[in-house]
Amino acid sequence: MQSLTQYHTFSLPSNCSSLISISDPQQISLNNLFPRPFYLLGEGSNSIFIEDYHGTVVQNKILGLDFNESKNSIRLRVGAGENWHKLVSTCLRNSWYGMENLALIPGSVGAAPIQNIGAYGLEVKNFIESVEFLDLQSHKMLKLKNHECKFGYRDSIFKGDLLGKVIITHVNFNLPKENYLETSYGELAKLIAPSPKAIFDEVKAIRRQKLPDPNVWGNAGSFFKNPIIDKKVLGSIQCDYSDIPHFEVSDNLVKVPAAWLIDKLGFKGRILGGVQCHPKQPLVLVNLGDAKGQDVLEFARLISQSVYTKFNIQLEPEVRLIGRDGLIEL
């Protein structure tokens, strides 16, 4: 058995049957694929191994960054194993602007399209031109264009139809030179002289102030997605809570902050077993040092059930929970 504690940022004591690292797509074919079942892992910032995983963990370490400049845009081809924040920093340093709002999001480049990561008014789908991957059935290298990836809120085809069937090798980005600065979200709206560098610095400062460092307190970032609800549900909540923040998604739907719902129920700072609902950001659960997988499940289920009972809203995990045989439901 191979310890996984250092390979996922929540740092629960857990193991897997074997661990394989891939730095070149050809390794997969040369190895005649790999033992199944398997779980594909980037930097482990969005996966929590609740118990020992009875399969192979495959680490994606495919690196590299190539760029091509045209009159109107910068195109990047980036290895899936590259660190996401490092990519955003490299772009800023080279005056390739656009992705500053996504600074300091933990994880790898290959995980970005799977989760359609987003923050402070932007999502990565805004910049993805295409995604390259190895099809594990045909053993062929294939590519999906942006519109074929079925991007949604923290969702994509890679979490749906293609889950467990492909390995992303590279992500292709298109950064327009006519860059639009998104500063409508929260603290960014207060910037006096917004610029790509100012946005980048402000986003880093906000995240460091509000979110616990996984090197100090094990965590996987936001545990739940911000729910999208019908305006009728919002209206019923507003009868008792007129201050509920919400953001219009469509004519009939709004997004509400999961952190607000959780905070209203008094979970901020609360501890169950070795897990704490973070005292500054209730959307984050942290490992106090001696957490067990069952502690995480019990606390997350308690929060989810309480929110549903009080607000009639079903929270969905943003993190991926891994059990003995793979992904498990909350």
Side-chain angles (χ1 to χ4, degrees), residues 215-239:
N215 293 316
V216 179
W217 299 109
N219 73 88
S222 298
F223 197 96
F224 296 101
K225 297 178 184 179
N226 290 320
I228 296 174
I229 62 173
D230 191 281
K231 286 185 177 179
K232 292 180 180 179
V233 177
L234 174 67
S236 65
I237 297 173
Q238 287 176 319
C239 292

PDB file of all heavy atoms in Angstrom, residues 215-239:
ATOM      1  N   ASN A 215      -1.146  24.146   3.811  1.00  0.00           N
ATOM      2  CA  ASN A 215       0.120  23.703   4.398  1.00  0.00           C
ATOM      3  C   ASN A 215       0.101  23.832   5.927  1.00  0.00           C
ATOM      4  O   ASN A 215       0.940  23.240   6.609  1.00  0.00           O
ATOM      5  CB  ASN A 215       1.285  24.524   3.833  1.00  0.00           C
ATOM      6  CG  ASN A 215       1.510  24.258   2.364  1.00  0.00           C
ATOM      7  OD1 ASN A 215       1.494  23.109   1.928  1.00  0.00           O
ATOM      8  ND2 ASN A 215       1.695  25.307   1.588  1.00  0.00           N
ATOM      9  N   VAL A 216      -0.864  24.617   6.437  1.00  0.00           N
ATOM     10  CA  VAL A 216      -1.009  24.794   7.878  1.00  0.00           C
ATOM     11  C   VAL A 216      -2.205  23.993   8.391  1.00  0.00           C
ATOM     12  O   VAL A 216      -2.100  23.245   9.363  1.00  0.00           O
ATOM     13  CB  VAL A 216      -1.172  26.287   8.225  1.00  0.00           C
ATOM     14  CG1 VAL A 216      -1.341  26.473   9.733  1.00  0.00           C
ATOM     15  CG2 VAL A 216       0.024  27.085   7.728  1.00  0.00           C
ATOM     16  N   TRP A 217      -3.343  24.176   7.743  1.00  0.00           N
ATOM     17  CA  TRP A 217      -4.567  23.446   8.096  1.00  0.00           C
ATOM     18  C   TRP A 217      -5.044  22.710   6.856  1.00  0.00           C
ATOM     19  O   TRP A 217      -5.409  23.332   5.859  1.00  0.00           O
ATOM     20  CB  TRP A 217      -5.663  24.407   8.581  1.00  0.00           C
ATOM     21  CG  TRP A 217      -5.300  25.179   9.802  1.00  0.00           C
ATOM     22  CD1 TRP A 217      -5.016  26.501   9.878  1.00  0.00           C
ATOM     23  CD2 TRP A 217      -5.181  24.665  11.137  1.00  0.00           C
ATOM     24  NE1 TRP A 217      -4.719  26.865  11.171  1.00  0.00           N
ATOM     25  CE2 TRP A 217      -4.820  25.757  11.965  1.00  0.00           C
ATOM     26  CE3 TRP A 217      -5.343  23.401  11.716  1.00  0.00           C
ATOM     27  CZ2 TRP A 217      -4.612  25.612  13.337  1.00  0.00           C
ATOM     28  CZ3 TRP A 217      -5.145  23.273  13.079  1.00  0.00           C
ATOM     29  CH2 TRP A 217      -4.777  24.362  13.871  1.00  0.00           C
ATOM     30  N   GLY A 218      -5.044  21.396   6.913  1.00  0.00           N
ATOM     31  CA  GLY A 218      -5.476  20.614   5.763  1.00  0.00           C
ATOM     32  C   GLY A 218      -6.895  20.975   5.345  1.00  0.00           C
ATOM     33  O   GLY A 218      -7.801  21.028   6.174  1.00  0.00           O
ATOM     34  N   ASN A 219      -7.075  21.273   4.059  1.00  0.00           N
ATOM     35  CA  ASN A 219      -8.407  21.577   3.539  1.00  0.00           C
ATOM     36  C   ASN A 219      -8.418  21.397   2.027  1.00  0.00           C
ATOM     37  O   ASN A 219      -7.368  21.276   1.400  1.00  0.00           O
ATOM     38  CB  ASN A 219      -8.837  22.996   3.935  1.00  0.00           C
ATOM     39  CG  ASN A 219      -8.098  24.077   3.174  1.00  0.00           C
ATOM     40  OD1 ASN A 219      -8.502  24.481   2.095  1.00  0.00           O
ATOM     41  ND2 ASN A 219      -6.970  24.548   3.752  1.00  0.00           N
ATOM     42  N   ALA A 220      -9.606  21.402   1.458  1.00  0.00           N
ATOM     43  CA  ALA A 220      -9.749  21.246   0.006  1.00  0.00           C
ATOM     44  C   ALA A 220     -10.489  22.432  -0.590  1.00  0.00           C
ATOM     45  O   ALA A 220     -11.229  22.303  -1.563  1.00  0.00           O
ATOM     46  CB  ALA A 220     -10.489  19.945  -0.307  1.00  0.00           C
ATOM     47  N   GLY A 221     -10.304  23.610   0.015  1.00  0.00           N
ATOM     48  CA  GLY A 221     -10.975  24.798  -0.485  1.00  0.00           C
ATOM     49  C   GLY A 221     -12.476  24.725  -0.240  1.00  0.00           C
ATOM     50  O   GLY A 221     -12.929  24.124   0.735  1.00  0.00           O
ATOM     51  N   SER A 222     -13.235  25.336  -1.128  1.00  0.00           N
ATOM     52  CA  SER A 222     -14.693  25.353  -0.974  1.00  0.00           C
ATOM     53  C   SER A 222     -15.240  23.928  -1.014  1.00  0.00           C
ATOM     54  O   SER A 222     -15.061  23.217  -1.998  1.00  0.00           O
ATOM     55  CB  SER A 222     -15.328  26.185  -2.086  1.00  0.00           C
ATOM     56  OG  SER A 222     -14.897  27.521  -2.028  1.00  0.00           O
ATOM     57  N   PHE A 223     -15.931  23.535   0.046  1.00  0.00           N
ATOM     58  CA  PHE A 223     -16.438  22.168   0.126  1.00  0.00           C
ATOM     59  C   PHE A 223     -17.722  22.006  -0.687  1.00  0.00           C
ATOM     60  O   PHE A 223     -17.943  20.970  -1.310  1.00  0.00           O
ATOM     61  CB  PHE A 223     -16.709  21.794   1.584  1.00  0.00           C
ATOM     62  CG  PHE A 223     -16.842  20.316   1.808  1.00  0.00           C
ATOM     63  CD1 PHE A 223     -15.754  19.564   2.242  1.00  0.00           C
ATOM     64  CD2 PHE A 223     -18.043  19.661   1.564  1.00  0.00           C
ATOM     65  CE1 PHE A 223     -15.870  18.192   2.428  1.00  0.00           C
ATOM     66  CE2 PHE A 223     -18.176  18.295   1.758  1.00  0.00           C
ATOM     67  CZ  PHE A 223     -17.087  17.553   2.184  1.00  0.00           C
ATOM     68  N   PHE A 224     -18.560  23.056  -0.697  1.00  0.00           N
ATOM     69  CA  PHE A 224     -19.834  23.002  -1.416  1.00  0.00           C
ATOM     70  C   PHE A 224     -19.869  24.018  -2.554  1.00  0.00           C
ATOM     71  O   PHE A 224     -19.225  25.063  -2.498  1.00  0.00           O
ATOM     72  CB  PHE A 224     -21.004  23.295  -0.470  1.00  0.00           C
ATOM     73  CG  PHE A 224     -21.192  22.270   0.623  1.00  0.00           C
ATOM     74  CD1 PHE A 224     -20.748  22.523   1.918  1.00  0.00           C
ATOM     75  CD2 PHE A 224     -21.815  21.062   0.362  1.00  0.00           C
ATOM     76  CE1 PHE A 224     -20.932  21.597   2.925  1.00  0.00           C
ATOM     77  CE2 PHE A 224     -21.993  20.120   1.368  1.00  0.00           C
ATOM     78  CZ  PHE A 224     -21.556  20.385   2.647  1.00  0.00           C
ATOM     79  N   LYS A 225     -20.670  23.710  -3.568  1.00  0.00           N
ATOM     80  CA  LYS A 225     -20.936  24.663  -4.641  1.00  0.00           C
ATOM     81  C   LYS A 225     -21.928  25.711  -4.128  1.00  0.00           C
ATOM     82  O   LYS A 225     -22.740  25.440  -3.240  1.00  0.00           O
ATOM     83  CB  LYS A 225     -21.572  23.971  -5.845  1.00  0.00           C
ATOM     84  CG  LYS A 225     -20.731  22.915  -6.518  1.00  0.00           C
ATOM     85  CD  LYS A 225     -21.516  22.299  -7.663  1.00  0.00           C
ATOM     86  CE  LYS A 225     -20.764  21.175  -8.327  1.00  0.00           C
ATOM     87  NZ  LYS A 225     -21.550  20.568  -9.430  1.00  0.00           N
ATOM     88  N   ASN A 226     -21.876  26.897  -4.718  1.00  0.00           N
ATOM     89  CA  ASN A 226     -22.918  27.879  -4.470  1.00  0.00           C
ATOM     90  C   ASN A 226     -24.170  27.433  -5.224  1.00  0.00           C
ATOM     91  O   ASN A 226     -24.131  27.287  -6.447  1.00  0.00           O
ATOM     92  CB  ASN A 226     -22.488  29.267  -4.934  1.00  0.00           C
ATOM     93  CG  ASN A 226     -21.393  29.847  -4.073  1.00  0.00           C
ATOM     94  OD1 ASN A 226     -21.407  29.703  -2.855  1.00  0.00           O
ATOM     95  ND2 ASN A 226     -20.428  30.507  -4.703  1.00  0.00           N
ATOM     96  N   PRO A 227     -25.278  27.190  -4.514  1.00  0.00           N
ATOM     97  CA  PRO A 227     -26.451  26.636  -5.187  1.00  0.00           C
ATOM     98  C   PRO A 227     -27.156  27.635  -6.101  1.00  0.00           C
ATOM     99  O   PRO A 227     -27.200  28.837  -5.816  1.00  0.00           O
ATOM    100  CB  PRO A 227     -27.357  26.238  -4.017  1.00  0.00           C
ATOM    101  CG  PRO A 227     -26.940  27.127  -2.898  1.00  0.00           C
ATOM    102  CD  PRO A 227     -25.467  27.347  -3.071  1.00  0.00           C
ATOM    103  N   ILE A 228     -27.677  27.118  -7.196  1.00  0.00           N
ATOM    104  CA  ILE A 228     -28.512  27.901  -8.112  1.00  0.00           C
ATOM    105  C   ILE A 228     -29.956  27.475  -7.870  1.00  0.00           C
ATOM    106  O   ILE A 228     -30.283  26.289  -7.979  1.00  0.00           O
ATOM    107  CB  ILE A 228     -28.094  27.674  -9.574  1.00  0.00           C
ATOM    108  CG1 ILE A 228     -26.666  28.191  -9.783  1.00  0.00           C
ATOM    109  CG2 ILE A 228     -29.061  28.368 -10.524  1.00  0.00           C
ATOM    110  CD1 ILE A 228     -26.098  27.900 -11.160  1.00  0.00           C
ATOM    111  N   ILE A 229     -30.805  28.425  -7.518  1.00  0.00           N
ATOM    112  CA  ILE A 229     -32.165  28.098  -7.101  1.00  0.00           C
ATOM    113  C   ILE A 229     -33.195  28.885  -7.901  1.00  0.00           C
ATOM    114  O   ILE A 229     -32.882  29.903  -8.532  1.00  0.00           O
ATOM    115  CB  ILE A 229     -32.369  28.378  -5.594  1.00  0.00           C
ATOM    116  CG1 ILE A 229     -32.180  29.867  -5.291  1.00  0.00           C
ATOM    117  CG2 ILE A 229     -31.401  27.543  -4.768  1.00  0.00           C
ATOM    118  CD1 ILE A 229     -32.520  30.257  -3.867  1.00  0.00           C
ATOM    119  N   ASP A 230     -34.422  28.417  -7.853  1.00  0.00           N
ATOM    120  CA  ASP A 230     -35.543  29.100  -8.487  1.00  0.00           C
ATOM    121  C   ASP A 230     -35.867  30.382  -7.707  1.00  0.00           C
ATOM    122  O   ASP A 230     -35.736  30.425  -6.484  1.00  0.00           O
ATOM    123  CB  ASP A 230     -36.757  28.171  -8.508  1.00  0.00           C
ATOM    124  CG  ASP A 230     -37.871  28.708  -9.388  1.00  0.00           C
ATOM    125  OD1 ASP A 230     -38.597  29.612  -8.923  1.00  0.00           O
ATOM    126  OD2 ASP A 230     -38.018  28.221 -10.524  1.00  0.00           O
ATOM    127  N   LYS A 231     -36.295  31.394  -8.428  1.00  0.00           N
ATOM    128  CA  LYS A 231     -36.616  32.661  -7.771  1.00  0.00           C
ATOM    129  C   LYS A 231     -37.779  32.516  -6.794  1.00  0.00           C
ATOM    130  O   LYS A 231     -37.903  33.306  -5.849  1.00  0.00           O
ATOM    131  CB  LYS A 231     -36.923  33.734  -8.816  1.00  0.00           C
ATOM    132  CG  LYS A 231     -35.681  34.247  -9.545  1.00  0.00           C
ATOM    133  CD  LYS A 231     -36.000  35.387 -10.487  1.00  0.00           C
ATOM    134  CE  LYS A 231     -34.728  35.928 -11.137  1.00  0.00           C
ATOM    135  NZ  LYS A 231     -35.013  37.030 -12.096  1.00  0.00           N
ATOM    136  N   LYS A 232     -38.634  31.512  -6.996  1.00  0.00           N
ATOM    137  CA  LYS A 232     -39.722  31.278  -6.061  1.00  0.00           C
ATOM    138  C   LYS A 232     -39.181  30.823  -4.702  1.00  0.00           C
ATOM    139  O   LYS A 232     -39.695  31.218  -3.652  1.00  0.00           O
ATOM    140  CB  LYS A 232     -40.684  30.236  -6.617  1.00  0.00           C
ATOM    141  CG  LYS A 232     -41.467  30.700  -7.839  1.00  0.00           C
ATOM    142  CD  LYS A 232     -42.409  29.615  -8.328  1.00  0.00           C
ATOM    143  CE  LYS A 232     -43.190  30.089  -9.555  1.00  0.00           C
ATOM    144  NZ  LYS A 232     -44.096  29.023 -10.064  1.00  0.00           N
ATOM    145  N   VAL A 233     -38.138  29.981  -4.747  1.00  0.00           N
ATOM    146  CA  VAL A 233     -37.490  29.544  -3.504  1.00  0.00           C
ATOM    147  C   VAL A 233     -36.842  30.735  -2.819  1.00  0.00           C
ATOM    148  O   VAL A 233     -36.942  30.904  -1.596  1.00  0.00           O
ATOM    149  CB  VAL A 233     -36.450  28.440  -3.788  1.00  0.00           C
ATOM    150  CG1 VAL A 233     -35.723  28.047  -2.507  1.00  0.00           C
ATOM    151  CG2 VAL A 233     -37.111  27.224  -4.415  1.00  0.00           C
ATOM    152  N   LEU A 234     -36.182  31.582  -3.614  1.00  0.00           N
ATOM    153  CA  LEU A 234     -35.571  32.793  -3.059  1.00  0.00           C
ATOM    154  C   LEU A 234     -36.622  33.652  -2.377  1.00  0.00           C
ATOM    155  O   LEU A 234     -36.404  34.159  -1.265  1.00  0.00           O
ATOM    156  CB  LEU A 234     -34.876  33.592  -4.159  1.00  0.00           C
ATOM    157  CG  LEU A 234     -34.308  34.953  -3.735  1.00  0.00           C
ATOM    158  CD1 LEU A 234     -33.152  34.769  -2.768  1.00  0.00           C
ATOM    159  CD2 LEU A 234     -33.876  35.756  -4.947  1.00  0.00           C
ATOM    160  N   GLY A 235     -37.770  33.815  -3.028  1.00  0.00           N
ATOM    161  CA  GLY A 235     -38.822  34.642  -2.472  1.00  0.00           C
ATOM    162  C   GLY A 235     -39.310  34.154  -1.127  1.00  0.00           C
ATOM    163  O   GLY A 235     -39.552  34.954  -0.205  1.00  0.00           O
ATOM    164  N   SER A 236     -39.415  32.826  -0.979  1.00  0.00           N
ATOM    165  CA  SER A 236     -39.867  32.272   0.296  1.00  0.00           C
ATOM    166  C   SER A 236     -38.836  32.491   1.390  1.00  0.00           C
ATOM    167  O   SER A 236     -39.184  32.727   2.556  1.00  0.00           O
ATOM    168  CB  SER A 236     -40.178  30.780   0.139  1.00  0.00           C
ATOM    169  OG  SER A 236     -38.997  30.044  -0.162  1.00  0.00           O
ATOM    170  N   ILE A 237     -37.556  32.437   1.035  1.00  0.00           N
ATOM    171  CA  ILE A 237     -36.495  32.686   2.018  1.00  0.00           C
ATOM    172  C   ILE A 237     -36.486  34.154   2.430  1.00  0.00           C
ATOM    173  O   ILE A 237     -36.284  34.491   3.601  1.00  0.00           O
ATOM    174  CB  ILE A 237     -35.123  32.268   1.453  1.00  0.00           C
ATOM    175  CG1 ILE A 237     -35.081  30.765   1.179  1.00  0.00           C
ATOM    176  CG2 ILE A 237     -33.999  32.653   2.421  1.00  0.00           C
ATOM    177  CD1 ILE A 237     -33.826  30.295   0.476  1.00  0.00           C
ATOM    178  N   GLN A 238     -36.729  35.034   1.456  1.00  0.00           N
ATOM    179  CA  GLN A 238     -36.688  36.473   1.735  1.00  0.00           C
ATOM    180  C   GLN A 238     -37.784  36.919   2.710  1.00  0.00           C
ATOM    181  O   GLN A 238     -37.660  37.982   3.322  1.00  0.00           O
ATOM    182  CB  GLN A 238     -36.806  37.258   0.427  1.00  0.00           C
ATOM    183  CG  GLN A 238     -35.545  37.212  -0.421  1.00  0.00           C
ATOM    184  CD  GLN A 238     -35.707  37.916  -1.758  1.00  0.00           C
ATOM    185  OE1 GLN A 238     -36.758  37.784  -2.398  1.00  0.00           O
ATOM    186  NE2 GLN A 238     -34.685  38.641  -2.175  1.00  0.00           N
ATOM    187  N   CYS A 239     -38.799  36.102   2.873  1.00  0.00           N
ATOM    188  CA  CYS A 239     -39.844  36.430   3.846  1.00  0.00           C
ATOM    189  C   CYS A 239     -39.267  36.500   5.257  1.00  0.00           C
ATOM    190  O   CYS A 239     -39.712  37.296   6.096  1.00  0.00           O
ATOM    191  CB  CYS A 239     -40.964  35.388   3.796  1.00  0.00           C
ATOM    192  SG  CYS A 239     -41.929  35.429   2.274  1.00  0.00           S
TER     193      CYS A 239
END
